[in-house]
Amino acid sequence: MLTSTYIHMPRIGAAVEKKIWSNGIRTWDEFMENHDCLLIPPSKKDMIMTGIRDSVEPLEARDFEFFAKSLPSSEHWRAFREFSDKVAYVDIETTGLSPGSSFITVVGIYDGKEARTFVKGIDLDDIVDIFPKYEYLVTFNGARFDLPFIKREFPEIEFNQLHADLMYPLRRIKLTGGLKKIECDLGISRAEETVGISGFDAVRLWHQYERGDEEALDLLLKYNREDIVNLKTIIDLTLPRFIENKFSQ
């Protein structure tokens, strides 16, 4: 989808982008070959051709920061396929909803192969060195919750990556509600031990662990791992629908 995208280019908006698509032109290469048939001002065509040339080199160089800065944050999902080999699916557990009065207990990071959980008082500080290894982040409600929480406790983490907060593109394809509801809607199941566990239960499990219950921590970590692994399943299932919905608007 990234090579069908024009809205990251200076002075090119959604209306022009849709007009290009409506003429059957879906890729940058197709635009360069067929721009003469488009009924848009020559000045706009020149801007787009310049924008394409200015975008090809960063894409080939895997300059994720270029696209993170130039794409609207709500459209970062468009770059998923191009950067998904260096992706982190991220979910956190906390003692409450406010970064000002609560703290992180667990950060889960899944790279598509290995799920790792970092625990307060054990190895949570390791995330400072872990996050810069990734070019793309996937969360659910992470723009409002997970990333601000992490940034407050670890201000040295830049978060300069592309970031797809799936809550928003999922809404556009009529998948609404919390993560667990959307999993059910998509037919994604959870382990028997974690079915029905909520964020509030995660707080309770952490407090049980603080009182010496190691099994409570084991269950909390299993719950968190399912969250991050399921994020990959969700985007794998829905990305084609995101793309179809965008082209049909």
Side-chain angles (χ1 to χ4, degrees):
M1 184 68 190
L2 185 57
T3 56
S4 300
T5 294
Y6 303 91
I7 56 170
H8 68 294
M9 300 172 186
R11 300 177 65 187
I12 303 301
V16 171
E17 185 178 67
K18 289 176 185 177
K19 191 162 191 176
I20 294 169
W21 294 341
S22 69
N23 280 267
I25 296 173
R26 292 290 176 88
T27 68
W28 296 341
D29 286 342
E30 289 176 359
F31 183 93
M32 298 300 275
E33 293 172 3
N34 300 289
H35 61 84
D36 287 339
C37 68
L38 282 170
L39 296 176
I40 59 177
S43 60
K44 287 286 185 185
K45 292 181 185 180
D46 290 342
M47 289 177 193
I48 294 169
M49 287 189 285
T50 298
I52 291 171
R53 287 190 287 266
D54 290 345
S55 299
V56 168
E57 184 176 346
L59 181 56
E60 291 177 347
R62 298 188 62 94
D63 184 354
F64 61 92
E65 289 186 82
F66 171 85
F67 293 103
K69 292 174 182 175
S70 58
L71 270 175
S73 58
S74 62
E75 302 298 324
H76 280 197
W77 63 267
R78 299 191 190 195
F80 176 75
R81 285 177 174 164
E82 286 78 9
F83 294 94
S84 61
D85 56 333
K86 287 194 175 180
V87 64
Y89 302 89
V90 180
D91 183 73
I92 70 171
E93 311 302 336
T94 69
T95 58
L97 298 177
S98 171
S101 58
S102 309
F103 60 83
I104 296 170
T105 58
V106 176
V107 173
I109 298 175
Y110 179 49
D111 65 2
K113 297 177 182 178
E114 179 185 13
R116 301 179 64 183
T117 47
F118 302 87
V119 181
K120 183 176 178 63
I122 299 176
D123 57 359
L124 187 59
D125 290 349
D126 290 354
I127 67 171
V128 173
D129 296 320
I130 296 295
F131 271 108
K133 297 179 180 180
Y134 299 103
E135 299 176 349
Y136 198 104
L137 307 179
V138 177
T139 68
F140 184 90
N141 197 30
R144 294 191 306 180
F145 186 75
D146 302 74
L147 300 194
F149 244 107
I150 296 172
K151 188 67 176 176
R152 181 178 177 87
E153 293 194 30
F154 300 95
E156 62 270 44
I157 299 177
E158 280 192 61
F159 287 130
N160 58 343
Q161 298 95 337
L162 288 151
H163 172 213
D165 184 339
L166 293 183
M167 185 169 72
Y168 300 102
L170 286 168
R171 285 178 180 175
R172 294 179 206 142
I173 59 169
K174 311 304 182 185
L175 286 169
T176 60
L179 180 63
K180 312 305 181 295
K181 176 184 179 296
I182 290 170
E183 289 173 359
C184 290
D185 291 342
L186 291 171
I188 300 169
S189 60
R190 290 201 168 222
E192 184 177 347
E193 304 95 309
T194 60
V195 169
I197 292 180
S198 67
F200 293 106
D201 294 314
V203 176
R204 174 181 55 79
L205 289 169
W206 177 258
H207 290 318
Q208 287 179 221
Y209 162 67
E210 288 185 308
R211 294 192 293 270
D213 187 345
E214 293 288 339
E215 290 185 359
L217 178 62
D218 290 342
L219 183 56
L220 177 60
L221 297 185
K222 184 167 187 175
Y223 167 75
N224 181 267
R225 288 190 192 100
E226 285 190 321
D227 279 351
I228 52 179
V229 170
N230 287 352
L231 286 175
K232 180 181 187 303
T233 304
I234 289 170
I235 197 168
D236 286 345
L237 288 172
T238 58
L239 184 65
R241 292 169 64 181
F242 295 167
I243 295 170
E244 180 184 358
N245 179 66
K246 181 58 64 175
F247 280 139
S248 64
Q249 285 179 346

